[in-house]
Coordinates of all heavy atoms in Angstrom, one line a residue:
P1 N 109.7 32.2 25.8 CA 108.3 32.4 26.3 C 107.7 33.7 25.8 O 106.5 33.8 25.5 CB 108.4 32.4 27.8 CG 109.8 32.6 28.1 CD 110.6 32.0 27.0
Y2 N 108.5 34.8 25.7 CA 108.0 36.1 25.1 C 107.5 35.9 23.7 O 106.4 36.3 23.3 CB 109.1 37.1 25.1 CG 109.2 38.0 26.3 CD1 110.4 38.4 26.9 CD2 108.0 38.4 27.0 CE1 110.5 39.2 28.0 CE2 108.1 39.3 28.1 CZ 109.3 39.6 28.6 OH 109.4 40.5 29.7
R3 N 108.3 35.2 22.9 CA 107.9 35.0 21.5 C 106.8 34.0 21.3 O 105.9 34.2 20.4 CB 109.1 34.6 20.6 CG 108.8 34.7 19.1 CD 110.0 34.3 18.3 NE 109.7 34.2 16.9 CZ 110.3 33.5 16.0 NH1 111.4 32.8 16.4 NH2 109.9 33.4 14.8
A4 N 106.8 33.0 22.1 CA 105.7 32.0 22.0 C 104.4 32.3 22.7 O 103.4 31.7 22.4 CB 106.3 30.6 22.5
A5 N 104.4 33.3 23.6 CA 103.2 33.6 24.4 C 102.0 33.8 23.6 O 100.9 33.3 24.0 CB 103.5 34.8 25.3
P6 N 102.0 34.4 22.4 CA 100.7 34.5 21.6 C 100.1 33.2 21.3 O 98.9 33.1 21.0 CB 101.1 35.3 20.4 CG 102.3 36.1 20.8 CD 103.1 35.2 21.8
L7 N 100.9 32.1 21.2 CA 100.4 30.8 20.9 C 99.6 30.2 22.0 O 98.9 29.2 21.8 CB 101.5 29.9 20.5 CG 102.3 30.2 19.2 CD1 103.6 29.4 19.1 CD2 101.4 30.1 17.9
G8 N 99.8 30.7 23.2 CA 99.2 30.1 24.4 C 100.2 29.1 25.1 O 101.4 29.1 24.6
A9 N 99.8 28.4 26.0 CA 100.7 27.5 26.8 C 101.0 26.2 26.0 O 100.7 25.1 26.5 CB 100.2 27.2 28.2
V10 N 101.6 26.3 24.8 CA 101.8 25.2 24.0 C 103.1 24.4 24.4 O 103.9 25.0 25.1 CB 101.9 25.6 22.5 CG1 100.6 26.2 22.0 CG2 103.1 26.6 22.3
D11 N 103.2 23.2 24.0 CA 104.4 22.4 24.4 C 105.6 22.7 23.5 O 105.5 23.4 22.5 CB 104.0 20.9 24.4 CG 103.6 20.4 23.0 OD1 103.9 21.0 22.0 OD2 102.9 19.4 23.0
A12 N 106.7 22.2 23.9 CA 108.0 22.4 23.1 C 107.9 21.9 21.7 O 108.5 22.6 20.8 CB 109.1 21.8 23.9
E13 N 107.2 20.8 21.5 CA 107.1 20.3 20.1 C 106.5 21.3 19.2 O 107.0 21.5 18.0 CB 106.4 19.0 20.1 CG 106.3 18.3 18.7 CD 105.7 17.0 18.7 OE1 105.2 16.6 19.8 OE2 105.6 16.3 17.7
R14 N 105.5 22.0 19.6 CA 104.8 22.9 18.7 C 105.6 24.2 18.6 O 105.6 24.8 17.5 CB 103.4 23.2 19.2 CG 102.4 22.1 18.8 CD 101.0 22.3 19.3 NE 100.9 21.8 20.7 CZ 99.8 21.7 21.4 NH1 98.6 22.1 20.8 NH2 99.8 21.2 22.6
V15 N 106.3 24.6 19.6 CA 107.2 25.8 19.5 C 108.3 25.5 18.6 O 108.7 26.3 17.7 CB 107.7 26.2 20.9 CG1 108.7 27.4 20.7 CG2 106.5 26.7 21.8
T16 N 108.9 24.3 18.7 CA 110.0 23.9 17.8 C 109.5 24.0 16.3 O 110.2 24.5 15.4 CB 110.4 22.4 18.1 OG1 110.9 22.4 19.4 CG2 111.5 22.0 17.1
S17 N 108.3 23.5 16.0 CA 107.7 23.5 14.7 C 107.6 25.0 14.2 O 107.9 25.3 13.1 CB 106.4 22.8 14.7 OG 105.8 23.0 13.4
A18 N 107.0 25.8 15.1 CA 106.8 27.2 14.6 C 108.0 28.0 14.5 O 108.1 28.9 13.6 CB 105.8 27.9 15.7
F19 N 109.0 27.8 15.4 CA 110.3 28.6 15.3 C 111.2 28.0 14.3 O 112.1 28.7 13.8 CB 111.0 28.6 16.7 CG 110.3 29.5 17.7 CD1 109.0 29.9 17.5 CD2 111.0 29.9 18.8 CE1 108.4 30.7 18.5 CE2 110.4 30.7 19.8 CZ 109.1 31.1 19.6
Y20 N 111.1 26.7 14.0 CA 111.8 26.0 12.9 C 113.3 25.7 13.1 O 113.7 24.6 13.1 CB 111.5 26.6 11.5 CG 111.8 25.7 10.4 CD1 111.0 24.6 10.1 CD2 112.9 25.9 9.5 CE1 111.2 23.7 9.1 CE2 113.1 25.0 8.4 CZ 112.3 24.0 8.2 OH 112.5 23.1 7.2
S21 N 114.1 26.8 13.1 CA 115.6 26.6 13.0 C 116.3 26.4 14.3 O 117.5 26.2 14.3 CB 116.2 27.8 12.3 OG 116.0 29.0 13.1
F22 N 115.5 26.3 15.5 CA 116.2 26.1 16.7 C 116.2 24.6 17.0 O 115.3 23.8 16.6 CB 115.4 26.7 17.9 CG 115.6 28.2 17.9 CD1 114.7 29.1 17.3 CD2 116.7 28.8 18.6 CE1 114.9 30.5 17.3 CE2 116.9 30.1 18.7 CZ 116.0 31.0 18.0
S23 N 117.3 24.1 17.7 CA 117.4 22.7 18.1 C 116.2 22.4 19.0 O 115.9 23.1 19.9 CB 118.7 22.5 18.8 OG 118.6 21.3 19.6
P24 N 115.5 21.2 18.8 CA 114.5 20.8 19.7 C 114.9 20.7 21.1 O 114.1 21.0 22.1 CB 114.1 19.4 19.2 CG 114.4 19.4 17.7 CD 115.7 20.3 17.7
R25 N 116.2 20.4 21.4 CA 116.7 20.3 22.8 C 116.7 21.7 23.4 O 116.3 21.9 24.6 CB 118.1 19.7 22.8 CG 118.2 18.3 22.3 CD 119.6 17.8 22.4 NE 120.5 18.7 21.6 CZ 120.7 18.5 20.3 NH1 120.1 17.6 19.7 NH2 121.5 19.3 19.7
M26 N 117.1 22.7 22.6 CA 117.1 24.1 23.1 C 115.7 24.6 23.4 O 115.5 25.2 24.5 CB 117.8 25.0 22.1 CG 118.1 26.4 22.6 SD 119.0 27.3 21.4 CE 119.2 28.9 22.3
V27 N 114.8 24.3 22.6 CA 113.4 24.7 22.8 C 112.9 24.1 24.0 O 112.2 24.7 24.9 CB 112.5 24.4 21.6 CG1 111.1 24.8 21.8 CG2 113.0 25.1 20.3
L28 N 113.1 22.8 24.2 CA 112.6 22.0 25.3 C 113.1 22.6 26.6 O 112.4 22.8 27.6 CB 112.9 20.6 25.2 CG 112.5 19.7 26.4 CD1 110.9 19.6 26.4 CD2 113.0 18.2 26.2
E29 N 114.4 22.9 26.6 CA 115.1 23.5 27.8 C 114.4 24.7 28.3 O 114.2 24.9 29.6 CB 116.6 23.8 27.5 CG 117.3 24.4 28.7 CD 118.7 24.9 28.3 OE1 119.1 24.6 27.1 OE2 119.4 25.5 29.1
H30 N 113.9 25.6 27.4 CA 113.4 26.8 27.8 C 111.9 26.9 27.9 O 111.3 27.6 28.7 CB 113.9 27.9 26.9 CG 115.4 28.1 27.0 ND1 116.0 28.5 28.2 CD2 116.4 27.9 26.1 CE1 117.3 28.6 28.0 NE2 117.6 28.2 26.7
I31 N 111.2 26.1 27.1 CA 109.7 26.1 27.1 C 109.2 25.1 28.1 O 108.1 25.4 28.7 CB 109.2 25.7 25.7 CG1 109.4 26.9 24.7 CG2 107.7 25.3 25.7 CD1 108.6 28.1 25.0
D32 N 109.9 24.0 28.4 CA 109.3 23.1 29.4 C 109.0 23.7 30.7 O 107.9 23.4 31.2 CB 110.3 21.9 29.6 CG 109.7 20.7 30.2 OD1 108.6 20.4 29.9 OD2 110.4 20.1 31.1
P33 N 109.8 24.6 31.2 CA 109.4 25.3 32.5 C 108.7 26.6 32.4 O 108.3 27.2 33.3 CB 110.8 25.5 33.2 CG 111.7 25.8 32.0 CD 111.2 24.9 30.9
A34 N 108.6 27.1 31.1 CA 108.2 28.5 30.9 C 106.8 28.8 31.5 O 106.6 29.8 32.1 CB 108.2 28.8 29.4
W35 N 105.8 27.9 31.2 CA 104.5 28.3 31.6 C 104.2 28.0 33.1 O 103.2 28.5 33.6 CB 103.5 27.5 30.7 CG 103.8 27.5 29.3 CD1 103.9 26.4 28.5 CD2 104.1 28.7 28.5 NE1 104.2 26.8 27.2 CE2 104.4 28.2 27.2 CE3 104.2 30.0 28.7 CZ2 104.7 29.0 26.1 CZ3 104.5 30.9 27.6 CH2 104.8 30.4 26.4
E36 N 105.1 27.3 33.8 CA 105.0 27.2 35.2 C 105.5 28.4 35.9 O 105.1 28.7 37.0 CB 105.8 26.0 35.7 CG 105.2 24.6 35.2 CD 106.0 23.4 35.7 OE1 106.9 23.6 36.5 OE2 105.7 22.3 35.2

């Protein structure tokens, strides 16, 4: 969430795309609850 925050409350798919080398599962685990 710290790194993705400038993008706004985007979903895990878009964070996965922007961060590139992280597993989509790992991104989903941490981004899915982040903005709540």
Side-chain angles (χ1 to χ4, degrees):
Y2 268 143
R3 189 178 172 207
L7 296 169
V10 296
D11 59 23
E13 184 175 3
R14 278 176 280 188
V15 175
T16 299
S17 174
F19 287 17
Y20 198 68
S21 62
F22 287 92
S23 159
R25 294 181 303 277
M26 185 176 184
V27 178
L28 180 63
E29 176 187 355
H30 296 296
I31 286 295
D32 195 40
W35 315 129
E36 295 181 5

